[in-house]
Amino acid sequence: TEFFLGMDQDDATGGFTSQALSAMGLYAQAGYVIGEKYLPMVRFETLMPEGDGNDTKVVTAGFGAFFFGHNVKLQTELSWINTETGDDSSTSDLRVRTQLQLGF
């Protein structure tokens, strides 16, 4: 679990003490290794930029297989992404990612 806080400088002359909140975000992830080889996981993410009606939420389910420990692993995940459009509505998308990692 992590929490993020973004700050931007208010003006060019204010320096470090002239900061304003620009965004907040967080994510939480849980997974469980089965038989030292398989890893199902779930993750929730949210990004909350300053202002109303522009938040993004992501829910992800994934699976990893460790064929030779961390030297050869395959990871696949499916995410549902919901983005607010500012007029009390939102758009939803799906994302599929697959990654093969080789270590030597």
Side-chain angles (χ1 to χ4, degrees), residues 61-82:
F63 184 80
F66 301 86
F67 299 108
F68 296 99
H70 284 278
N71 290 329
V72 179
K73 59 184 171 182
L74 178 67
Q75 298 168 301
T76 299
E77 61 184 39
L78 172 66
S79 299
W80 172 76
I81 305 162
N82 182 269

Side-chain angles (χ1 to χ4, degrees), residues 5-59:
L5 184 64
M7 304 292 282
D8 285 334
Q9 189 170 328
D10 268 347
D11 57 49
T13 60
F16 181 76
T17 59
S18 180
Q19 301 287 317
L21 177 67
S22 63
M24 291 188 298
L26 64 91
Y27 80 88
Q29 178 173 310
Y32 186 77
V33 178
I34 300 170
E36 298 181 6
K37 194 170 235 177
Y38 305 106
L39 175 67
M41 58 75 71
V42 293
R43 179 173 56 241
F44 172 78
E45 309 166 50
T46 185
L47 175 62
M48 300 166 283
E50 186 62 24
D52 293 329
N54 58 358
D55 294 357
T56 299
K57 293 178 179 53
V58 181
V59 178

